[in-house]
Amino acid sequence: MWIEPKELLLPSTFWIAEMYSRYFVLQKRRGHGESRGFGSMLVGTYDSVWNTKPAPYRIVHRTPSSEVSYEIAIGITQDEIAKDWEWLQANLFNVLNEMENEDEVTNFTICKIKSLYTQNNQDETGETADFKVMTSQFRQTFKMPEEERLVNSYSATYVKNKIPRQGQLYISLNHVCFYSYMLGHEVKRIIRFAELEDISRNANTIYLKTTNNMTYNFTLIFNAGEAHLLIEQLNKMAIQQLIQDPESPVVDHDPSNFARLGAKSSKKPVLLRDLTARQKSEEFRIYFRLPQTEIIDGKIKANIWTPYSKRFNAGYIYLSPNFFCFRSDVKDLVSVVIPMKTIKSVEKKDDGQQRFDNQIVIITSENVPFMFAQIVDREVLISKITDLLSRIHVPVSRERAKYDISWSKQTALMNTFKTQFSSDIIRNQEEKMVRWEAHFRDFGRGIGMFRTTDVINLIVEGIPDQLRQEIWLIFSGAIHDKEMNPGLYEDLVEKAACIKDCFAHDEIDRDLPRSLPEHPAFQSTDGIGALRRVLQAYALRNPQVGYCQAMNIVSSVFLLFCDEENAFWMLASLCENLLPDYYKDKVVGAQIDQGVLNELVETHLADLHEHLEQLGVIKMISISWFLTIFMSVISYESSLHILDCFFYEGAKIIFMVALQIIEWNRDKLLKCQDDGEAMLVLQNYLEGIYNPDYQVPPSTDKRKMERSQTQTVQTLIHEAYTKFGEELTQQRIEELRNKHRRLTMRQFDIDNEKTVVKAYLQNPYFDRNELHMLLTIIREEKHALKSMQQQQKAQCSLSETPQLLHHQSPTRVPNDPVLGGSNGRYEAYWVNYEVFHTLFTELTPWRKCVSVDLGEKLFRLTDKKGTGYLDFGQLINALGLVCSSKSMEKLKLLYVLHLPPLLSKAEIERSRRPRPRTKDDAEEAFEAEDFFDDDASESMEALPSPSDHQFDADDYALISATQHLHNLAGISGNTFMDLSRNTPNLSLNSNTSSLAQRNSTFYVDLPAAALPDLGAARMTPPPGATAGAASASAAAAAAADKMLLNVETISNFSQISDLVAATRLERADSNATDSRSLGSLGYLLDQPDEGASGSHQTIPHLRKENFQLLWRSIIEIMGCVQDEEMRMAYENLLELGNSNIKKEPSLESFTQLNLGGSGDEQPDSNGNPTTPAAEHSSTTRLFVALEEELRQASGKPSSSRGSSSSSTNTSEAWHISINQFIATVLTVNTIVQGFQTPIQITEQVEQLQKKRRKCLSTNY
């Protein structure tokens, strides 16, 4: 790629010239693509230590008489740099040779290259060439997909075992990676943000700790603070993504969401600038209580005129697409929020004494002026405001679908159900109202008011009932969401009312009577109806949250003082902005803040913390306190006061009040001996908190009347602000939340693991520690797999990946949850094929087998229900047996894994073929593979599902019989399906299509290349049938018309039941093709010891081809070593197979099916039945005639039963039983010892984790 020309003063010691011209040199970095010699090691070490990391190829311009060179192009690959060199040859070489002055040559070249650089970077992302090279090296080094975007890199030192390693720290969207090269020794480390448990920084050193207790120390000389904040931010995004959507753990970033108008150019990477803007936007939204969609566009230094103090106050102007905001430099001195849609004019003010102060005046639609001065760049500010105003979109209520639901919005319930206050309380309310009115006159009213410490003081004193709705809406930010979504609430209410059989609605109806039951408003149908509509509407708006207990309590309080729609938006603001993740599954947000409170108690009340930690009190109190904002533990009239402060301060007031309550009860809590006593102390104290300014009439409940008053809520709030208000900032809370968000998610995993381990502790293979290790590696591999699947398309592996049929199980739906989700903690550790195959390959000794993919076979055998997933119990049985010392059970399992249809005929054929060495050979191999796969009669769909209760055996008989006719006619399965689709009267079409939709024996849709062999020669056409069809396509086409006619005749024939019955009987009589027995082979995994008792008669025999692959697998498992004892055992088994050969009637003819007999007759040596066959029914005669017709059409001579039976292939009749195999193999000491050697799963898991950390490639 062309780059901005750079001067090179140093000699090119580390570069090797590849091509020369008079004015240009194409160079390659020394050591790139070469064997690691001493010079290459020195260059690599130099690049790692000094953080040069140049592109491996470059083009340099230089003149013969000049000592200065210019780097004009760089390339990652040789092909890339060669294109630039060819362009120079075609366009510059001749032109420059005609110039006489070298200075002219240099000037012309530099101008031309600059032009090319500008032209080629017009449509790019704005990244520099060096950063593009760095990104490419990052992806190549750590094998990252294209979708994994690099944020930035830093020169760092990684300290391990007190040995420093200088290298490069790469930070991408989902990973922290480190690479170092020192004198031939490479160090790679890769850490996912989602697995970080602790992040800390001390001076220039960043400390990272992962969930598997690995620690990493990175020392950065420069930009350590930036790197630390970036890691914190990306970790927060990763954990939030896990909470929001466990199915998609990969963090994504849309740069268009953070594009800024007129953004200044910067040398920092684009993604780093976007993430910085993202962080600043989040802080901007939290401080000004703005919608989640607002993105900060920039800030400008300015002063604001405050008319109440008649002076200017310094601060910053913040701009976003829909809001103009100001914040003073002095904390909480003054702030302003002006919606862009209310701005009527923006004018310069250049008159008066301050005409040189760069003043502007903004006038709103309410004719309220806002004056700003000392603006750093007034013209830019006015231009941005003008641009934003031109883009402003004011939403209007649109026509929505009407539903036949009669309802009307409920006004504030306090107006309908008025409380009879005493004259003193009424007078107090009036006095508060007067003070608020005076404040509005001086500071303004509504969204655009001046927000100062005066308003904080008024809120702490208490908000009058008449103003609560207005003040709550403004300071919670709910007013903005409401104005941006006009008419949405009505639409949600009407849609929710039409939903039937909803779990969330049932939960809501159950909790309605428990929502503020002491208030008369919720003893009436009006209050209950409004509360139901609000909760149901929000459950529909936010399905991830739905409904959670405690939402009914806070919503009922909202309805007392707010209109129904305003109460809905208050609830939305509470759940989505003020207390995020509080009301989701597992109340994650509340548990995170529980950890925050615990650390705050440790910081501010150190002497009390240890005692409370022993009692476990913090865990018991925080959930109930936080979810309802103290409404469930403090009287309603007192909790209103806390709620007033909450909408202004956010979660900060919750922590301050909690700390104050605990501190006031310090002495009593220190005397408590158990958690129950401590909870009783706190409960009695909370029940005694009262509000003297808002006393409701006395309750008739004697228990409430007997409460002793402990403290006023005004004193509680005042003391909380005084002691903890300064130290407990929003920034501090966010830092603690980030820390405990990681710890909370980790605790969820630990709790899940403990529950699962307890359930499977009695398994015969693994102990408690090994089970924990297995669960840990499953979780890590599932996260890694999800990340890869979300970032890139699945790539073909070396083995054949079964295409699983994801049908819904009658009991549960497999959805591969990562963190449990709604399906519970057990399903969190289900594994799909990819994860199982990784574990099988990395943890078991059978990974040495390369001829047969035993992992695939074992997964298909274990997945009995066909869900495409294995639960943890199935995984334990599968891996445990393979890793155990039970040699006999392992040999039986290995035998079963080589049976058809697990081991298909196509796989056997492929195993015999040599690997293609050239591209042409590969194409021929693929063509041959397609040829072997054309026989649809060997499709897995042709076999019944052992757990499919809807399977009709008649379907199997019809399909089997019809497919045999296809083979005789030389018509492939696909051709027949095409004929069937075009035949409206073909009844077999419906049966075939219905069967094709069902699941195979092992619920696997093998690719066309993996059609299974059905056992002995009974269900397999003669070897020449397929080949004959391939070589005589014309004959097959000629037979197609006759085939179509006769099949129609068959399908319309009414007396077909005898053929069906006979085919079913033949199928049941065949031990080798009994797919139901194959489906029951999974008992080896469940009860291997019982299987050792000798009941092997249900396991089919093994054909010769399958046996040869089985023996090859044994040799590979043993390390590709075969001694003389093993050779003798192999020869003995071959002799046993030869002795088992029996002359059986061939299924080359349908007349061999004994359609008229009982199925028990055995043919004589000539293939004739030993008992007289019954007279053929009309159906049988029809098939005999049809068979003869097909033979004539395909050019085959008619044959009798005897001649047919004599043509049986002896190699296909060769077989051995499992008893013969086990008895012979157990005499081989080498095999027995090898299979009796157990595998320590803990060591294998640790090695796999080490591979992942060091980014080591695997062999599969």
Side-chain angles (χ1 to χ4, degrees):
M1 71 183 78
W2 304 109
I3 63 173
E4 189 80 21
K6 295 189 301 185
E7 286 190 6
L8 302 175
L9 300 178
L10 296 177
S12 54
T13 307
F14 297 155
W15 296 88
I16 303 173
E18 294 279 308
M19 295 183 182
Y20 290 94
S21 75
R22 184 177 178 184
Y23 297 113
F24 300 97
V25 181
L26 191 156
Q27 298 176 334
K28 182 182 73 172
R29 188 70 170 177
R30 187 179 297 275
H32 178 75
E34 302 174 358
S35 59
R36 291 296 186 183
F38 182 72
S40 301
M41 289 192 297
L42 285 179
V43 174
T45 303
Y46 175 85
D47 290 339
S48 179
V49 172
W50 296 105
N51 189 27
T52 53
K53 290 287 183 180
Y57 297 94
R58 73 178 184 182
I59 297 177
V60 175
H61 164 68
R62 66 182 181 186
T63 56
S65 61
S66 176
E67 296 181 358
V68 179
S69 303
Y70 295 89
E71 188 179 42
I72 61 174
I74 59 176
I76 305 298
T77 63
Q78 189 171 11
D79 293 339
E80 182 182 353
I81 202 68
K83 292 180 181 179
D84 295 338
W85 183 263
E86 291 172 358
W87 188 93
L88 292 175
Q89 283 181 322
N91 297 279
L92 284 189
F93 281 12
N94 295 333
V95 175
L96 297 181
N97 288 333
E98 296 176 356
M99 297 182 182
E100 298 180 356
N101 190 344
E102 291 186 355
D103 292 339
E104 183 181 356
V105 169
T106 300
N107 293 334
F108 180 82
T109 301
I110 291 177
C111 291
K112 191 65 177 177
I113 298 302
K114 285 183 177 180
S115 174
L116 289 172
Y117 170 74
T118 304
Q119 178 181 355
N120 293 338
N121 285 273
Q122 285 180 350
D123 299 330
E124 294 292 333
T125 59
E127 302 288 8
T128 63
D130 291 340
F131 188 78
K132 293 177 183 177
V133 172
M134 187 188 304
T135 301
S136 177
Q137 292 172 344
F138 161 73
R139 288 172 179 158
Q140 291 178 2
T141 302
F142 299 101
K143 300 178 179 61
M144 292 290 178
E146 292 292 328
E147 292 76 9
E148 180 66 3
R149 299 182 58 190
L150 180 65
V151 180
N152 204 3
S153 68
Y154 303 90
S155 178
T157 301
Y158 169 54
V159 181
K160 183 67 174 178
N161 297 328
K162 299 182 180 181
I163 300 176
R165 297 173 175 85
Q166 181 65 33
Q168 197 76 0
L169 184 69
Y170 297 91
I171 300 179
S172 66
L173 277 179
N174 296 279
H175 300 87
V176 179
C177 304
F178 177 81
Y179 176 79
S180 173
Y181 179 84
M182 301 287 287
L183 297 177
H185 179 62
E186 275 189 331
V187 175
K188 294 181 184 179
R189 295 294 182 269
I190 181 168
I191 312 164
R192 287 185 298 109
F193 282 116
E195 65 179 346
L196 286 177
E197 184 176 310
D198 187 30
I199 304 171
S200 60
R201 175 192 167 205
N202 184 9
N204 290 336
T205 302
I206 299 175
Y207 302 91
L208 305 179
K209 181 182 178 182
T210 63
T211 54
N212 54 9
N213 293 322
M214 295 299 300
T215 58
Y216 304 88
N217 304 331
F218 300 105
T219 301
L220 287 75
I221 300 178
F222 304 104
N223 301 319
E226 177 185 292
H228 176 250
L229 292 177
L230 188 58
I231 292 174
E232 284 276 11
Q233 180 185 2
L234 290 170
N235 171 255
K236 175 183 176 181
M237 293 167 57
I239 300 299
Q240 286 178 333
Q241 179 67 22
L242 281 179
I243 296 173
Q244 297 286 342
D245 187 6
E247 291 299 311
S248 303
V250 174
V251 173
D252 198 5
H253 175 80
D254 185 0
S256 62
N257 292 338
F258 301 93
R260 300 168 60 187
L261 298 176
K264 296 181 180 179
S265 60
S266 173
K267 294 184 179 180
K268 290 186 176 182
V270 174
L271 185 53
L272 177 61
R273 299 200 301 266
D274 287 347
L275 290 173
T276 303
R278 182 175 186 153
Q279 179 65 27
K280 291 182 178 179
S281 296
E282 184 176 352
E283 297 171 356
F284 167 72
R285 290 192 301 266
I286 291 175
Y287 183 82
F288 293 106
R289 295 285 195 272
L290 300 180
Q292 292 290 332
T293 55
E294 287 303 303
I295 303 299
I296 189 172
D297 190 70
K299 67 177 184 178
I300 297 178
K301 183 69 176 175
N303 298 341
I304 188 173
W305 173 258
T306 52
Y308 54 87
S309 63
K310 294 181 172 51
R311 56 172 294 181
F312 282 99
N313 292 285
Y316 282 93
I317 293 173
Y318 298 85
L319 293 178
S320 70
N322 295 290
F323 294 93
F324 178 105
C325 304
F326 178 87
R327 179 181 181 181
S328 62
D329 292 337
V330 180
K331 180 183 176 182
D332 295 331
L333 181 61
V334 61
S335 63
V336 174
V337 176
I338 307 174
M340 284 287 183
K341 65 181 181 180
T342 65
I343 296 179
K344 188 167 63 173
S345 66
V346 180
E347 301 175 355
K348 297 180 182 179
K349 189 175 185 299
D350 293 329
D351 56 350
Q353 297 180 354
Q354 290 82 24
R355 58 181 177 274
F356 302 110
D357 288 350
N358 286 341
Q359 296 183 357
I360 65 170
V361 177
I362 295 178
I363 301 177
T364 65
S365 57
E366 298 176 352
N367 293 323
V368 177
F370 292 90
M371 185 184 301
F372 298 90
Q374 303 291 333
I375 302 172
V376 173
D377 197 336
R378 183 172 64 172
E379 298 299 329
V380 171
L381 177 61
I382 294 177
S383 174
K384 280 198 170 187
I385 295 175
T386 303
D387 194 3
L388 291 171
L389 288 175
S390 66
R391 301 165 181 261
I392 199 70
H393 171 68
V394 179
V396 294
S397 182
R398 63 182 184 274
E399 288 294 328
R400 299 177 181 270
K402 302 297 182 182
Y403 301 88
D404 188 17
I405 302 294
S406 59
W407 66 283
S408 60
K409 292 182 186 178
Q410 178 66 48
T411 59
L413 292 172
M414 73 171 189
N415 298 328
T416 306
F417 301 89
K418 296 183 179 180
T419 304
Q420 299 298 323
F421 292 111
S422 64
S423 59
D424 292 338
I425 293 179
I426 294 175
R427 185 169 56 254
N428 185 279
Q429 289 276 315
E430 292 174 351
E431 291 174 357
K432 288 182 180 180
M433 194 68 190
V434 170
R435 290 196 294 271
W436 275 94
E437 292 289 350
H439 180 83
F440 291 151
R441 285 194 300 269
D442 294 337
F443 296 88
R445 188 167 187 171
I447 299 174
M449 72 166 67
F450 289 95
R451 307 180 187 193
T452 66
T453 53
D454 294 75
V455 75
I456 300 176
N457 295 331
L458 286 175
I459 291 175
V460 170
E461 292 178 4
I463 304 174
D465 289 352
Q466 300 177 24
L467 294 179
R468 273 207 167 92
Q469 177 172 232
E470 178 184 350
I471 300 301
W472 284 1
L473 285 172
I474 291 174
F475 289 113
S476 68
I479 186 67
H480 305 308
D481 290 321
K482 177 185 176 182
E483 292 179 353
M484 293 177 66
N485 298 277
L488 177 60
Y489 176 67
E490 294 90 338
D491 187 44
L492 291 174
V493 169
E494 293 173 354
K495 287 182 178 179
C498 298
I499 298 177
K500 305 298 181 184
D501 300 326
C502 178
F503 176 76
H505 290 190
D506 296 339
E507 292 289 309
I508 290 170
D509 290 337
R510 188 184 65 184
D511 286 346
L512 287 177
R514 295 181 280 186
S515 305
L516 217 62
E518 66 271 16
H519 200 285
F522 297 100
Q523 299 171 6
S524 67
T525 56
D526 291 343
I528 293 295
L531 182 59
R532 178 186 289 109
R533 291 192 294 271
V534 168
L535 294 175
Q536 288 183 354
Y538 187 75
L540 182 60
R541 166 184 164 85
N542 193 346
Q544 283 190 337
V545 173
Y547 171 75
C548 175
Q549 286 186 343
M551 290 171 63
N552 60 315
I553 298 177
V554 293
S555 298
S556 61
V557 176
F558 295 159
L559 285 168
L560 289 176
F561 301 96
C562 304
D563 296 342
E564 184 177 327
E565 183 176 3
N566 291 336
F568 167 81
W569 289 112
M570 292 289 297
L571 178 63
S573 180
L574 176 72
C575 297
E576 298 165 13
N577 301 327
L578 297 172
L579 296 177
D581 302 326
Y582 259 55
Y583 302 98
K584 290 187 177 178
D585 185 32
K586 301 179 184 178
V587 291
V588 178
Q591 295 201 48
I592 293 170
D593 281 355
Q594 171 183 287
V596 173
L597 177 62
N598 191 36
E599 184 161 341
L600 290 175
V601 172
E602 183 180 9
T603 303
H604 298 281
L605 306 171
D607 57 336
L608 186 59
H609 174 264
E610 184 178 354
H611 185 65
L612 294 181
E613 188 75 11
Q614 292 177 354
L615 298 180
V617 174
I618 299 294
K619 296 180 180 179
M620 300 176 66
I621 64 175
S622 54
I623 299 297
S624 60
W625 290 10
F626 292 170
L627 283 177
T628 61
I629 318 175
F630 294 99
M631 294 179 190
S632 61
V633 292
I634 298 179
S635 62
Y636 149 71
E637 59 273 12
S638 299
S639 60
L640 278 178
H641 219 63
I642 300 176
L643 198 59
D644 293 339
C645 299
F646 169 76
F647 286 122
Y648 187 88
E649 292 286 0
K652 173 182 175 180
I653 190 65
I654 299 179
F655 295 114
M656 292 193 303
V657 170
L659 287 172
Q660 187 60 54
I661 292 172
I662 294 174
E663 186 190 37
W664 273 344
N665 292 272
R666 180 201 306 261
D667 296 336
K668 293 181 180 179
L669 290 173
L670 287 173
K671 296 177 182 178
C672 294
Q673 300 300 319
D674 55 49
D675 55 351
E677 186 179 356
M679 289 298 297
L680 186 60
V681 168
L682 292 173
Q683 179 182 345
N684 293 335
Y685 187 85
L686 291 171
E687 289 178 350
I689 294 177
Y690 66 102
N691 186 355
D693 297 338
Y694 200 83
Q695 288 289 340
V696 296
S699 174
T700 57
D701 189 344
K702 292 184 179 181
R703 186 177 61 87
K704 293 183 179 180
M705 294 176 63
E706 295 173 356
R707 291 175 181 171
S708 60
Q709 295 181 343
T710 55
Q711 192 56 266
T712 65
V713 69
Q714 289 85 354
T715 304
L716 171 62
I717 295 175
H718 182 269
E719 291 295 323
Y721 268 105
T722 303
K723 293 183 179 180
F724 306 107
E726 292 295 328
E727 299 180 11
L728 196 58
T729 62
Q730 185 64 39
Q731 180 181 359
R732 173 65 174 158
I733 292 174
E734 286 302 315
E735 290 175 355
L736 292 176
R737 276 179 169 174
N738 291 341
K739 173 183 177 180
H740 288 278
R741 187 178 290 110
R742 296 187 291 267
L743 297 177
T744 300
M745 297 303 296
R746 174 57 180 156
Q747 190 60 45
F748 285 163
D749 291 335
I750 293 175
D751 294 341
N752 286 350
E753 286 182 11
K754 289 181 178 178
T755 302
V756 175
V757 167
K758 185 177 180 181
Y760 292 100
L761 197 56
Q762 302 303 320
N763 78 91
Y765 301 113
F766 303 118
D767 59 23
R768 183 186 300 272
N769 182 49
E770 290 172 332
L771 290 176
H772 277 292
M773 294 291 289
L774 271 177
L775 291 173
T776 300
I777 197 63
I778 288 173
R779 185 180 65 254
E780 293 176 359
E781 290 299 315
K782 289 183 72 173
H783 277 302
L785 177 64
K786 286 288 183 182
S787 300
M788 296 299 293
Q789 288 179 341
Q790 192 175 340
Q791 289 178 319
Q792 64 178 1
K793 296 180 180 179
Q795 298 179 353
C796 297
S797 60
L798 295 179
S799 62
E800 199 173 68
T801 304
Q803 304 299 317
L804 302 170
L805 297 178
H806 297 278
H807 71 282
Q808 293 187 355
S809 174
T811 57
R812 53 189 177 182
V813 180
N815 63 351
D816 192 19
V818 176
L819 296 178
S822 59
N823 285 338
R825 57 189 67 192
Y826 290 97
E827 286 81 352
Y829 295 98
W830 286 1
V831 297
N832 58 10
Y833 170 74
E834 289 82 0
V835 175
F836 175 82
H837 194 270
T838 299
L839 298 178
F840 178 86
T841 308
E842 295 288 350
L843 305 182
T844 69
W846 288 7
R847 59 176 173 268
K848 301 175 184 177
C849 182
V850 295
S851 298
V852 178
D853 191 348
L854 297 181
E856 175 209 350
K857 314 304 177 191
L858 185 56
F859 181 86
R860 293 164 59 191
L861 182 66
T862 311
D863 183 21
K864 301 175 185 178
K865 296 184 179 180
T867 61
Y869 296 84
L870 303 184
D871 61 35
F872 189 59
Q874 293 173 318
L875 181 73
I876 290 174
N877 290 334
L879 297 184
L881 179 57
V882 176
C883 295
S884 69
S885 59
K886 300 178 178 181
S887 57
M888 181 179 294
E889 287 74 17
K890 290 164 71 173
L891 288 169
K892 287 192 298 182
L893 176 61
L894 195 62
Y895 177 96
V896 169
L897 295 182
H898 288 75
L899 287 171
L902 280 176
L903 183 61
S904 65
K905 181 179 179 182
E907 289 178 290
I908 297 175
E909 295 291 345
R910 281 198 300 274
S911 68
R912 294 175 174 177
R913 283 177 248 159
R915 295 183 178 179
R917 298 180 179 178
T918 65
K919 184 176 180 180
D920 295 337
D921 293 338
E923 293 177 355
E924 292 179 4
F926 283 125
E927 292 176 1
E929 187 173 307
D930 293 337
F931 170 77
F932 279 106
D933 300 336
D934 283 340
D935 186 6
S937 67
E938 296 188 2
S939 171
M940 293 292 287
E941 284 85 348
L943 295 176
S945 166
S947 60
D948 188 356
H949 301 294
Q950 297 179 352
F951 178 78
D952 186 358
D954 294 351
D955 288 344
Y956 184 88
L958 292 172
I959 296 300
S960 301
T962 308
Q963 286 174 342
H964 183 69
L965 295 178
H966 307 165
N967 298 325
L968 291 175
I971 300 176
S972 67
N974 294 334
T975 306
F976 172 71
M977 293 304 295
D978 294 336
L979 293 173
S980 302
R981 292 189 189 99
N982 298 326
T983 310
N985 295 327
L986 185 59
S987 63
L988 285 180
N989 182 35
S990 60
N991 292 330
T992 305
S993 60
S994 64
L995 187 63
Q997 294 174 357
R998 294 182 182 148
N999 302 314
S1000 61
T1001 304
F1002 299 96
Y1003 302 93
V1004 176
D1005 271 338
L1006 287 178
L1011 302 176
D1013 184 11
L1014 298 181
R1018 295 175 179 268
M1019 297 294 293
T1020 307
T1026 305
S1031 61
S1033 57
D1041 295 335
K1042 297 182 179 181
M1043 176 68 184
L1044 178 61
L1045 176 62
N1046 285 289
V1047 170
E1048 287 182 353
T1049 307
I1050 296 171
S1051 63
N1052 292 326
F1053 199 87
S1054 59
Q1055 298 179 351
I1056 201 170
S1057 58
D1058 59 338
L1059 172 64
V1060 172
T1063 310
R1064 290 173 59 186
L1065 186 62
E1066 175 67 19
R1067 175 168 156 259
D1069 183 58
S1070 176
N1071 214 17
T1073 62
D1074 189 354
S1075 62
R1076 293 187 184 274
S1077 66
L1078 283 178
S1080 65
L1081 292 176
Y1083 79 93
L1084 285 174
L1085 300 174
D1086 296 332
Q1087 298 172 334
D1089 297 328
E1090 294 182 11
S1093 60
S1095 60
H1096 300 151
Q1097 64 272 17
T1098 59
I1099 300 180
H1101 296 162
L1102 200 66
R1103 293 188 351 170
K1104 187 173 185 179
E1105 295 85 351
N1106 298 66
F1107 164 71
Q1108 290 172 337
L1109 267 183
L1110 169 61
W1111 196 260
R1112 187 189 304 178
S1113 298
I1114 293 177
I1115 295 175
E1116 291 172 349
I1117 292 174
M1118 299 299 298
C1120 297
V1121 176
Q1122 182 177 211
D1123 56 14
E1124 187 63 29
E1125 195 175 7
M1126 292 175 63
R1127 292 190 185 94
M1128 291 181 62
Y1130 175 72
E1131 293 175 358
N1132 291 338
L1133 287 172
L1134 288 178
E1135 289 298 327
L1136 286 174
N1138 291 330
S1139 64
N1140 291 334
I1141 296 177
K1142 295 180 181 179
K1143 296 298 182 179
E1144 298 180 356
S1146 171
L1147 283 183
E1148 188 178 4
S1149 168
F1150 263 98
T1151 58
Q1152 301 296 316
L1153 285 174
N1154 294 329
L1155 296 178
S1158 63
D1160 297 327
E1161 302 88 346
Q1162 296 294 330
D1164 60 14
S1165 59
N1166 296 322
N1168 297 316
T1170 56
T1171 57
E1175 181 68 21
H1176 293 320
S1177 67
S1178 57
T1179 304
T1180 305
R1181 290 194 299 272
L1182 175 62
F1183 271 94
V1184 172
L1186 176 62
E1187 178 186 348
E1188 184 62 28
E1189 184 179 356
L1190 292 175
R1191 291 186 186 280
Q1192 294 176 1
S1194 60
K1196 296 181 180 180
S1198 177
S1199 59
S1200 65
R1201 298 182 186 181
S1203 61
S1204 163
S1205 62
S1206 63
S1207 64
T1208 301
N1209 193 327
T1210 58
S1211 65
E1212 293 181 347
W1214 186 102
H1215 66 271
I1216 60 170
S1217 67
I1218 188 171
N1219 285 326
Q1220 294 171 332
F1221 170 75
I1222 295 296
T1224 304
V1225 172
L1226 288 181
T1227 62
V1228 183
N1229 293 328
T1230 307
I1231 297 179
V1232 173
Q1233 292 176 2
F1235 276 67
Q1236 281 182 345
T1237 304
I1239 297 297
Q1240 298 299 322
I1241 199 72
T1242 303
E1243 297 177 1
Q1244 301 300 319
V1245 170
E1246 290 175 349
Q1247 291 181 7
L1248 177 56
Q1249 290 176 330
K1250 189 174 182 180
K1251 279 185 178 181
R1252 295 291 183 260
R1253 291 194 301 269
K1254 294 187 176 182
C1255 196
L1256 298 177
S1257 60
T1258 52
N1259 297 324
Y1260 58 93

